[in-house]
Amino acid sequence: MSALRPRALFPAASRLDARPTIGVLALQGDVREHSLALEAAGARAVAVRSAGDLGARPGDRLDGLILPGGESTTMSTLLTSFGMLEPLRALVAEGLAVYGSCAGMIMLADRVQGAAPGQSFLGGIGMTVRRNAFGREVDSYEEDLIAPGLGAGPGDPLRAVFIRAPWVEEVDEGVEVLATTRSGRAGSDEGSASGGRIVAVRQGPLLATSFHPEVGGDHRVHGVFVDMVAHRS
Ligand code: GLN
């Protein structure tokens, strides 16, 4: 039987590469750093610059996609003017695995506090995200997170870098909280640190972090995402 099926003897070239193909939205942000982290975590990284790069369906051109940090208002404007917003929404609705970091987290939120007028989002994760919650302007903040769901136990915490970062105010049922800050930190308009803030979540094939794991050479978060993608295909 197999002798009658030469394709089984000479599989298509793409099948020889067992790595999942994960796009990195390359309109702004840490595209190179995310690509290097994905490759280190066992994926094939490709830059996504147009609607054509997305493919029509999940698995067509991409097995997964990263939305890097940057500025969600700019990302919203660029996605709209490049005709990518609706195709991306459709892919998310069809179950494409997407990881959004910082501005990318904001893009994946169903509800956003502090959105700019007219700002558009993809949605997909049942959560309320507060933009610039950790502070505005050049504020950045770092903390060692213990987050077993991200492979970071007490003996091996994850150094998380927050840059003008959002946090998650609340999650709907079905959203898994993967990390919270330990002590919390005062937001720009809050009086004092008030306990942990949710900074990493997952809902089905969607993953989001407030922080930037592409900075600093720790690839555990990318590893979690690559596993999510690999186990779906
Ligand atoms: N504050 C930015 C926004 O609203 C996100 C910052 C970041 O991605 N580093 O999009």
Side-chain angles (χ1 to χ4, degrees), residues 2 5 7 25 34 48 51-52 59 64 67 71 83 116 124 141 146 150 158 170 189 199 206 215-216 224 228 233:
S2 63
R5 298 173 57 196
R7 282 174 63 97
L25 186 68
H34 276 294
V48 170
L67 306 175
E71 179 54 51
Y141 164 62
I146 296 168
L150 297 175
L158 187 70
E170 59 171 17
D189 57 358
V199 291
L206 304 178
V215 176
V224 167
M228 280 169 56
S233 45

Side-chain angles (χ1 to χ4, degrees), residues 63-67 88 91-92 95-100 104 108 122 125 201 203-208 225 228-229 232:
D63 299 312
L65 177 69
I66 287 186
L67 306 175
L88 250 177
L91 285 169
V92 169
L96 181 71
V98 183
Y99 164 42
L108 288 175
L122 298 168
I125 300 182
V201 296
Q203 184 170 25
L206 304 178
L207 176 71
F225 184 58
M228 280 169 56
V229 171
R232 287 169 54 76

Side-chain angles (χ1 to χ4, degrees), residues 28-30 34 65-72 75 98-108 161 163 165-166 199 207-215 221-222:
Q28 60 158 195
D30 290 343
H34 276 294
L65 177 69
I66 287 186
L67 306 175
E71 179 54 51
S72 60
M75 205 176 283
V98 183
Y99 164 42
S101 117
C102 204
M105 169 187 255
I106 296 169
M107 294 304 294
L108 288 175
V161 178
I163 304 167
V199 291
L207 176 71
T209 64
S210 303
F211 52 91
H212 289 256
E214 76 281 9
V215 176
V221 175
H222 290 81

Side-chain angles (χ1 to χ4, degrees), residues 185-203:
R185 179 180 187 270
S188 52
D189 57 358
E190 291 203 0
S192 61
S194 55
R197 296 293 183 178
I198 299 170
V199 291
V201 296
R202 176 180 175 181
Q203 184 170 25

Side-chain angles (χ1 to χ4, degrees), residues 25-217:
L25 186 68
L27 304 182
Q28 60 158 195
D30 290 343
V31 177
R32 184 166 177 276
E33 290 80 356
H34 276 294
S35 300
L36 291 172
L38 281 173
E39 298 270 345
R44 193 170 78 89
V46 295
V48 170
R49 295 194 177 85
S50 68
D53 292 341
L54 291 168
R57 309 184 66 89
D60 176 5
R61 298 194 73 142
L62 303 176
D63 299 312
L65 177 69
I66 287 186
L67 306 175
E71 179 54 51
S72 60
T73 50
T74 308
M75 205 176 283
S76 155
T77 305
L78 293 176
L79 284 173
T80 305
S81 59
F82 292 172
M84 296 173 78
L85 192 70
E86 289 308 328
L88 250 177
R89 280 185 176 149
L91 285 169
V92 169
E94 286 192 54
L96 181 71
V98 183
Y99 164 42
S101 117
C102 204
M105 169 187 255
I106 296 169
M107 294 304 294
L108 288 175
D110 279 351
R111 300 174 297 275
V112 177
Q113 294 178 350
Q119 186 174 357
S120 303
F121 305 97
L122 298 168
I125 300 182
M127 62 179 172
T128 303
V129 160
R130 183 169 161 201
R131 278 186 74 215
N132 299 316
F134 282 95
R136 293 178 178 276
E137 311 294 323
V138 295
D139 281 354
S140 75
Y141 164 62
E142 297 187 20
E143 181 174 323
D144 287 334
L145 298 177
I146 296 168
L150 297 175
D156 199 10
L158 187 70
R159 188 84 184 149
V161 178
F162 300 86
I163 304 167
R164 299 187 317 281
W167 66 48
V168 179
E169 288 283 345
E170 59 171 17
V171 293
D172 297 344
E173 212 177 294
V175 177
E176 192 184 349
V177 173
L178 295 176
T180 51
T181 55
R182 248 178 296 178
S183 57
R185 179 180 187 270
S188 52
D189 57 358
E190 291 203 0
S192 61
S194 55
R197 296 293 183 178
I198 299 170
V199 291
V201 296
R202 176 180 175 181
Q203 184 170 25
L206 304 178
L207 176 71
T209 64
S210 303
F211 52 91
H212 289 256
E214 76 281 9
V215 176

